[in-house]
Amino acid sequence: MIYVATTTSGAQRNLGPAYSVQINKSREAPADSLTAVFFSKENHPEYKSIAVYAEEASQLFFDGIVDEQKFEVTATGCFLTIKSRSKAAVLIDNEATPQTYKRPSLDIIFRRHIKPYGFSAINGEQSSFNATIEVEKGMSEWDVLELFCSVCLNSFPIVNADGTIDIAGDTDSRPLMFSNSSSGGVNYSAISQKYSRYKLISEITVCEQYSAIYAATIRDQGLIDRGISRRKFISMSEDTITGISDKKVSVKTAEQMIENAKRKFCEITVKCPNAVQAKIGTRCQINDDVLGRIEGLKIYEVEYKLSRAGEFTTITLLKE
């Protein structure tokens, strides 16, 4: 890996080999994170950003803003530690101007909430949508983008390392294959499959707002037949989009909660040697001599680590 830091004056500096590195990507966190430690014989100027390149063809692996920078002088040597978040962090850290959008489009959301922070392009449907979106006080620029994608596109935005944003999901016609035997497959040193029954929800009861009156009960009979007994209660609340309290909204929320829990029930983890370029949301397949062939998977989390133990990328896969 090649680590290039940029000072506040715009000067770039190769930090040399890292002593230890951890990069995390997750579907649950909009911004990727990096913590890197370097041996150093001198103090450093203030850095505003850091880019990480794979040595092969200088492929961009991570690009982010510097959140913390620390220089230590110890008995064992001098160390520079940099903590960074990917470019999505600027959208999380900046508050959006409260306003109302009627028939919003991706183009207007991009121009008003995304482009001013240095993002180059956004990929997705550009037409207007028959919806009303309320940007409330306290919402971040990221909240606006995520809300638009959820309401109008039924998708989730992914910020790429190169500064582009993808809201169309994985468009690669060929899924990424993890295999130690198939030609062209990504090799791994370990693989595990875990079933987490405690995450499943068999029943959700929807209550009237500010009362104990039951409005509806959603049950998943298939889970109940499998011996799952886990019940939750949620309260009907005002729809954040229309401003109307609607029983259908809460019922849909309950159904989504049950489905989201089912998606996280089966978790497959592959540990690969070296650095693996893996994008959140990418479709994947497993071809293993023991587990067999498993299809319909998507990348949910990625963890890259460099330490004394070696260099590994651990990838978590969930069912689509």
Side-chain angles (χ1 to χ4, degrees):
M1 291 287 195
I2 299 171
Y3 304 86
V4 179
T6 302
T7 67
T8 54
S9 63
Q12 292 189 330
R13 184 171 182 177
N14 190 328
L15 299 178
Y19 172 70
S20 68
V21 180
Q22 181 165 335
I23 298 175
N24 289 94
K25 304 177 183 182
S26 175
R27 171 64 171 75
E28 300 290 343
D32 304 338
S33 65
L34 170 144
T35 300
V37 181
F38 304 88
F39 284 119
S40 181
K41 295 181 180 180
E42 59 181 351
N43 200 356
H44 288 252
E46 180 184 352
Y47 296 122
K48 64 179 180 180
S49 64
I50 182 171
V52 181
Y53 299 89
E55 294 184 16
E56 300 81 4
S58 296
Q59 187 177 18
L60 186 62
F61 194 80
F62 176 91
D63 190 13
I65 60 174
V66 173
D67 284 330
E68 293 182 20
Q69 175 181 334
K70 181 174 66 173
F71 183 73
E72 296 177 278
V73 180
T74 71
T76 56
C78 301
F79 299 89
L80 170 69
T81 301
I82 290 180
K83 293 184 179 181
S84 171
R85 289 175 296 160
S86 63
K87 290 181 177 179
V90 297
L91 301 179
I92 300 170
D93 294 345
N94 284 275
E95 192 170 316
T97 302
Q99 57 196 291
T100 300
Y101 288 108
K102 294 185 177 180
R103 294 189 59 81
S105 68
L106 179 60
D107 178 64
I108 195 170
I109 295 297
F110 177 69
R111 286 191 288 108
R112 292 188 180 181
H113 299 277
I114 312 300
K115 190 175 181 180
Y117 299 96
F119 290 89
S120 57
I122 191 165
N123 305 314
E125 175 60 49
Q126 297 292 332
S127 61
S128 298
F129 295 87
N130 186 23
T132 299
I133 293 181
E134 293 283 350
V135 181
E136 300 177 351
K137 180 173 172 40
M139 291 179 65
S140 68
E141 303 285 27
W142 174 264
D143 291 333
V144 178
L145 176 62
E146 187 177 20
L147 182 60
F148 172 83
C149 291
S150 175
V151 173
C152 299
L153 301 170
N154 193 29
S155 67
F156 184 82
I158 299 293
V159 179
N160 301 317
D162 62 2
T164 60
I165 300 177
D166 182 14
I167 62 174
D170 180 31
T171 56
D172 193 343
S173 59
R174 296 185 61 185
L176 182 64
M177 172 68 77
F178 290 94
S179 176
N180 289 331
S181 56
S182 301
S183 176
V186 178
N187 294 337
Y188 49 87
S189 56
I191 185 169
S192 66
Q193 185 178 36
K194 179 174 68 174
Y195 296 116
S196 301
R197 286 171 61 89
Y198 74 92
K199 292 182 179 180
L200 296 171
I201 304 172
S202 58
E203 179 180 311
I204 296 180
T205 297
V206 180
C207 303
E208 296 282 359
Q209 194 173 18
Y210 309 120
S211 79
I213 300 175
Y214 298 161
T217 297
I218 311 300
R219 294 185 178 90
D220 190 305
Q221 191 59 47
L223 295 180
I224 295 173
D225 292 343
R226 285 162 52 188
I228 301 296
S229 178
R230 189 163 180 251
R231 182 175 61 177
K232 288 185 174 292
F233 292 84
I234 63 172
S235 175
M236 245 194 289
S237 59
E238 188 177 90
D239 183 0
T240 57
I241 308 303
T242 64
I244 301 173
S245 181
D246 189 348
K247 176 180 176 180
K248 293 182 180 178
V249 172
S250 292
V251 169
K252 182 179 180 181
T253 301
E255 292 172 344
Q256 288 176 339
M257 288 174 63
I258 291 175
E259 289 304 312
N260 288 341
K262 287 166 72 174
R263 274 194 289 272
K264 296 179 181 180
F265 161 68
C266 178
E267 181 180 291
I268 296 176
T269 301
V270 288
K271 186 175 182 180
C272 307
N274 304 316
V276 177
Q277 278 280 21
K279 179 181 173 183
I280 299 298
T282 298
R283 294 184 300 117
C284 301
Q285 295 179 355
I286 299 287
N287 187 10
D288 183 76
D289 292 340
V290 178
L291 292 179
R293 191 177 186 92
I294 306 174
E295 301 180 346
L297 302 169
K298 279 194 173 185
I299 294 179
Y300 187 76
E301 289 181 346
V302 179
E303 179 188 74
Y304 167 78
K305 270 189 175 182
L306 171 67
S307 66
R308 291 182 180 180
E311 184 182 30
F312 299 96
T313 304
T314 303
I315 301 173
T316 300
L317 308 172
L318 299 182
K319 282 284 187 179
E320 290 189 68

